[in-house]
Structure formats: C-alpha cells, structure tokens
Amino acid sequence: MSRRASVITLLLTLTTVFGGLAATLALDVPPRLGLDLQGGFSVVLEAPQDTEADVLDTAVEIMRRRIEALGDVQEPEISVLGERNIEVQLPGVTDRDRALAAVGTTGRLEFRPVLDVSPVPGLSPLFLQVPPEDTTTTTTPDDDETTTTTAPPTTTTTNPDDTTTTTMLDLEELTADIVLPEGVTWCDEVDQPGCVDRQSGLTVSPAPELEAFLATDFATGGGIVYHLAPARVLGANLSDARAEFFANSRGSAVGQWVVSLRFDSLGAQQFQDMTRELARFGFGDPRRQIAIVLDATIQSAPPLGTDVDPNVGIPGGEAIISIGSGGNPQTDAQELSVVLRYGALPVALEQVSVQSVSATLGADSMRAGIIAGTIGLALVSIMLLLYYRALGLVSVVGLFVFAALVLTVLSLLGAWRGVTLTMAGVTGLIVTIGISSDAYIVYFERIKEEVQRGRSLRAAIDHAYGRALRTIVTASSLALVGSVLLFLLATASVKGFALAFGIATVASLFISVAYMRPAVSLLARTRLGDGGRFSIRGATGHPEESVR
C-alpha cells in the first residue's frame, strides 16, 4: 500500500469515526440506556389459555400507543414471551402507577342507566332490601285458631368450660333471602359472568347484558354503590375521546376538566334512545342518571340536564364525562382519554410479576460495566504492547477507534430506531474487545511468518494482509451469523447481547479494513518500523533483514 493511499485512507477513517463521535456529543445524543442501566420497572402480563398470537400482537401495539401517549415514557420495550405472556419494560419511568394502568387496563367502557343508588357509602343496595320477616305459625287443633307471631333473628353464644365461642355467621345463609336481578347469581366456586360477591354485594365481572352493582371505587369497595341496568352503549361505538377544559356558560376560565366523547352512527342512535327514555324521570330521581363504567368502575354518573326533551333525548352522538375536583383533574382527564382513545385491549391480561430497578442500581450496573471494560481494555493493551511492541501501538489506538465507532453507531441507532443499550449489551461489547484484538493478532502473526520466510518488512506487511484478511472476514462472518441467529431466536435480554455483539463485530471488520492496514503500512516507514527491539522488526524476532 503506497504512502499516499495509506495517509488518505487513515485520515478519512479517523475523521469519520471521531467526527461522528464529536457530533453526537455536541448534539447531546448519547446511547439510549436500558432498564437495567438507568432504572425503571418491568411487568409481565399473562393472557388466558388458548389466546391467539395475533390477539397478543394487537394488545402489544395498543399498550405501546397508550404508554407513548403518557408523554414521560418513550420507546417502551414490549415483547411477547412464549405463547401467552407479554413483557413490558419501561426504562426511566417516573410514574409507575400511571404506566401500570396504561399497560394493564382493558379499557372496557359501558354506558348504563342507573336504577338505584345506595345512600350509605360502600354499602351495596342489595343489602338494603327489607328481608322477609321470619314467621312462626302455630295451629291450635282445638279451636282451629291460627296465630302468627314475629320471631326476630337471634345470635347464640355458648360458654363451655368458661371459654367463650361465637358462632360465625354464614354468608350463604345471610344472603339467602336477598332477591337478585334476573340472570344474576352469587359468585361461588365457579364464578359466572355478572355474578355478585356475597360479602361485598358488588358485581365482580360485569356482563353488559346483565344488571350490575358497581361502585365509584371498585378496587377498595368504597365509594358510592349503584344498581345499574344492562349497558345500552358500549365503548366499541366510541369514535373519539379528548380531554378538554370545559369553561362555564359565560366563557370564563372557571370550569372543570372533562373528557369529550363522540360516538359513531350506531352509538349515537343508542345514546339518543337511552337519554330519551331516562328523561321521563324527574330531576333528582336517580333513574335520570347515566353511569359511565370503565373496567367495572364507575367513572361518573351525571344526571341528564333539565333541558333534555323526553321526546327527543340527546341527539348528535356527543357526550362528556365530568371529572371531579379532587386530586389532579387535568391528569385524570388526560389519562382517561388516552385509555378510551387508544381502544380496549382485545384480551384481559393478568399481572404475573412486577420488577422495579432503582436508578441507583442502574447507575451501579453502569459503573460496573465501565470498570470491567476499562480493566479489560487495559490488560489487552498491555499484553499487545509487551508482545508486539510497535505493532501493539497500532492495535491499542485501533481499540480506541473501535470504541468510538461503536459508541457513535449505538447513539445514532438509539436516536433513530430506539435501540437501547442494556447490561447484556455492555457484556457483548466487552467480549468484542477480545475479538477485535484477534484481528490484529492474526495480521501481526502473518507478518512475522512472512519475515521469517525471508521477505522484506514492507513486502511482508503487504503480503500478510491479504492472507490475514481472509481469516478475519471468515471469523467475523461466523460471529455475525451467530449474533443474527441469537437475536432472532432469543428473548429480550439475550437480544441485547446479540445486537451489541453484532454491531461490534461489523465495526471490528470495518476497522480491520479501513484502519489496520494503512496504520501498519505508515508505521513501517518510520523508525518504529525497522529500528530496535521495540520496532516491528524487533517484534518479529529477526532484527536484521536476511535473505530477500
């Protein structure tokens, strides 16, 4: 290789690599760090048995849109594990509860007419039914007179051997006299859709076609409990949902946050029919209310306005969900609109595990990776310098060029394609330090062989490169094939290793072509090429040029 060609090739390579690194640093485009390096959390969700693969793929896409719409969680890693599990990794997440709600909420929306409202918070209207009085009938055969007396329920306490024992009340016995709506059953060992829990009096899994007893705070069983009619409009007929600040009628800033709903043609007709029927009840009657139910929780139960005509209802297919003044109404409205706007999950998912990784632990992992990489790089550099002397300088500088190139590529892929660097990826990069060094070793050993055969130093350098490059290309190709197969077949964490390993392998091959040969060729033309024990010739073991 001529001096001119070597200089041009080397300058282009160094300018491209270090110029790219400087640009990414100047533009503040660092590599995207994964969950284990910057903290966050991951959750594994499980779908029911026999869930089809395309259903899981649809659920993954819906969850991705929901999370990205939250604003502070970008590029989540969501992948299908096995036949019915979905793993969601949210690096850098700041609000765990919001993100968990986004990935796990099924988003089933129903609009149900209200039949009754419990006056006691947390108490189901079922338990307010007046129980039939227990009666005892005594027949007197003598005079054929029949006397009916009322026997109040009694509780018996026994104290055998000075020990007090209280008989526990049987829920099944207590609820035996409560009359359930048609089609609704109590929840037993095999729960039926729409069944009611005997202890709370709430519907566990509402069925749209059945009446339900739901509360405004289903998770805790608190809040106001409503007796609801079957759903009249479903979320499938919802075409849009937006969070808006609804000013008062005078247009001033005093108002409240609401979620504006817009229905499709079928939903608009169903909504108008429902409001027309409810408008016949007087204002103040609970049956004039519409409960907006999301995932078995009543979000709001607004009454119809006094201006709704019982002969017309509410036409136009638009409605609003009023958000209360407690907590953060703006955030609540935005989160609800996100869940509604991006649709319901096609399948109910159950949380199997939630793993949190603190930012401190992530920083510790990053620090451990940097230390391991630095120690590995230092040991490899020392060994190369001791064994190959001046040629070792070429390899040490080449390792820094290699590191700069890999860092630049990872930064660009992170910004462009959302590629994240995980701890497994750092491991892959550390492994490739040795692989990159192998390329230099193969070349240097070929040079030594050519010198031992009697070639001049420059001839040996040029002749050895062709033979070494074939070996390097073959080895790199096999490593690249392995990384591709690993990436395609492995799970998420191993994919990170395979991706980093593959990128580093390609970078190492590029360095072998664009840097290694011109650098050695130029070095051979200096005093470090053929002068003394530290020179290239000194490393070959033949300090004097011998035969040819």
Side-chain angles (χ1 to χ4, degrees):
M1 193 174 191
S2 66
R3 177 191 294 270
R4 179 183 176 84
S6 298
V7 171
I8 293 175
T9 304
L10 192 59
L11 285 178
L12 284 176
T13 302
L14 297 179
T15 302
T16 301
V17 172
F18 288 106
L21 180 61
T24 56
L25 294 177
L27 296 174
D28 193 20
V29 185
R32 292 178 56 85
L33 301 181
L35 176 68
D36 51 357
L37 294 181
Q38 65 167 318
F41 78 94
S42 67
V43 56
V44 177
L45 305 169
E46 186 179 67
Q49 287 281 2
D50 301 327
T51 301
E52 297 180 358
D54 57 346
V55 174
L56 290 180
D57 293 338
T58 303
V60 167
E61 187 58 32
I62 291 175
M63 282 191 286
R64 188 185 308 281
R65 291 201 302 267
R66 284 182 181 180
I67 294 171
E68 290 176 351
L70 293 178
D72 57 350
V73 186
Q74 297 297 322
E75 298 294 346
E77 296 184 22
I78 308 177
S79 56
V80 177
L81 301 179
E83 296 181 352
R84 58 192 184 107
N85 288 335
I86 297 176
E87 182 184 38
V88 183
Q89 293 190 356
L90 302 173
V93 65
T94 57
D95 194 331
R96 166 182 166 144
D97 293 338
R98 287 182 64 200
L100 276 178
V103 301
T105 304
T106 59
R108 189 173 65 188
L109 179 67
E110 300 169 344
F111 293 83
R112 291 173 177 262
V114 174
L115 298 177
D116 195 9
V117 183
S118 172
V120 182
L123 183 64
S124 173
L126 273 177
F127 298 147
L128 296 177
Q129 292 182 11
V130 178
E133 295 178 335
D134 295 336
T135 59
T136 302
T137 302
T138 304
T139 303
T140 305
D142 295 340
D143 52 8
D144 292 336
E145 291 182 356
T146 301
T147 303
T148 302
T149 58
T150 301
T154 59
T155 301
T156 304
T157 302
T158 58
N159 302 310
D161 299 331
D162 297 329
T163 301
T164 301
T165 302
T166 301
T167 302
M168 299 299 294
L169 298 179
D170 190 341
L171 288 176
E172 186 173 356
E173 182 179 347
L174 289 176
T175 57
D177 295 331
I178 296 178
V179 180
L180 293 174
E182 183 179 358
V184 178
T185 60
W186 294 108
C187 295
D188 294 311
E189 293 183 0
V190 181
D191 296 343
Q192 300 296 321
C195 70
V196 177
D197 181 73
R198 290 182 184 274
Q199 188 166 9
S200 65
L202 296 175
T203 302
V204 176
S205 179
E209 67 277 8
L210 298 176
E211 296 181 16
F213 297 87
L214 301 176
T216 53
D217 189 358
F218 182 81
T220 62
I224 304 300
V225 184
Y226 291 75
H227 179 196
L228 305 177
R232 298 292 298 275
V233 185
L234 301 178
N237 300 113
L238 184 68
S239 58
D240 195 13
R242 299 286 173 183
E244 298 176 349
F245 186 78
F246 190 75
N248 63 13
S249 57
R250 298 180 179 177
S252 68
V254 178
Q256 65 179 136
W257 280 94
V258 301
V259 177
S260 298
L261 307 177
R262 182 176 302 151
F263 299 98
D264 59 15
S265 57
L266 177 59
Q269 184 60 53
Q270 293 172 337
F271 189 74
Q272 183 175 2
D273 294 342
M274 177 175 59
T275 53
R276 184 172 55 241
E277 295 173 11
L278 300 186
R280 72 176 188 272
F281 297 107
F283 197 78
D285 191 318
R287 293 172 294 178
R288 194 181 172 88
Q289 295 175 261
I290 300 174
I292 302 172
V293 182
L294 178 67
D295 286 339
T297 299
I298 297 176
Q299 301 296 318
S300 178
L304 296 182
T306 55
D307 56 342
V308 178
D309 189 339
N311 296 316
V312 180
I314 300 178
E318 294 186 353
I320 60 172
I321 301 175
S322 301
I323 304 299
S325 57
N328 190 332
Q330 180 178 357
T331 302
D332 293 343
Q334 291 172 342
E335 291 177 357
L336 178 58
S337 66
V338 165
V339 173
L340 298 178
R341 185 165 65 248
Y342 290 111
L345 295 181
V347 61
L349 300 172
E350 180 181 355
Q351 286 186 13
V352 177
S353 65
V354 179
Q355 179 184 8
S356 298
V357 179
S358 68
T360 303
L361 183 59
D364 291 342
S365 299
M366 173 64 84
R367 190 180 305 109
I370 293 175
I371 292 174
T374 303
I375 293 175
L377 183 61
L379 291 176
V380 170
S381 299
I382 292 173
M383 291 300 299
L384 290 173
L385 287 172
L386 290 177
Y387 195 75
Y388 293 106
R389 305 176 195 183
L391 287 174
L393 285 176
V394 175
S395 59
V396 171
V397 175
L399 289 177
F400 282 101
V401 178
F402 163 77
L405 178 60
V406 171
L407 190 61
T408 303
V409 171
L410 288 175
S411 299
L412 294 177
L413 288 178
W416 179 39
R417 301 295 298 175
V419 174
T420 59
L421 179 63
T422 62
M423 194 62 204
V426 173
T427 304
L429 295 179
I430 294 174
V431 170
T432 53
I433 293 176
I435 294 177
S436 181
S437 301
D438 285 345
Y440 294 97
I441 293 172
V442 169
Y443 185 31
F444 298 162
E445 290 298 325
R446 294 293 187 190
I447 293 175
K448 292 170 65 175
E449 290 177 2
E450 296 298 328
V451 171
Q452 290 170 357
R453 291 176 181 175
R455 294 184 186 275
S456 66
L457 184 59
R458 294 185 184 179
I461 289 173
D462 291 338
H463 194 76
Y465 181 74
R467 298 176 59 193
L469 185 61
R470 288 193 292 272
T471 305
I472 294 170
V473 170
T474 302
S476 298
S477 299
L478 293 176
L480 192 58
V481 169
S483 65
V484 170
L485 291 176
L486 202 59
F487 181 82
L488 294 176
L489 302 177
T491 56
S493 58
V494 183
K495 282 180 182 289
F497 173 87
L499 181 61
F501 185 73
I503 292 173
T505 300
V506 174
S508 175
L509 185 59
F510 172 78
I511 296 298
S512 299
V513 175
Y515 165 79
M516 184 170 65
R517 185 184 184 186
V520 174
S521 179
L522 289 176
L523 185 67
R525 290 178 167 85
T526 66
R527 295 189 58 185
L528 291 176
D530 205 0
R533 293 180 56 82
F534 193 72
S535 65
I536 298 176
R537 180 170 292 282
T540 64
H542 294 270
E544 300 295 335
E545 189 168 358
S546 56
V547 183
R548 49 181 177 174

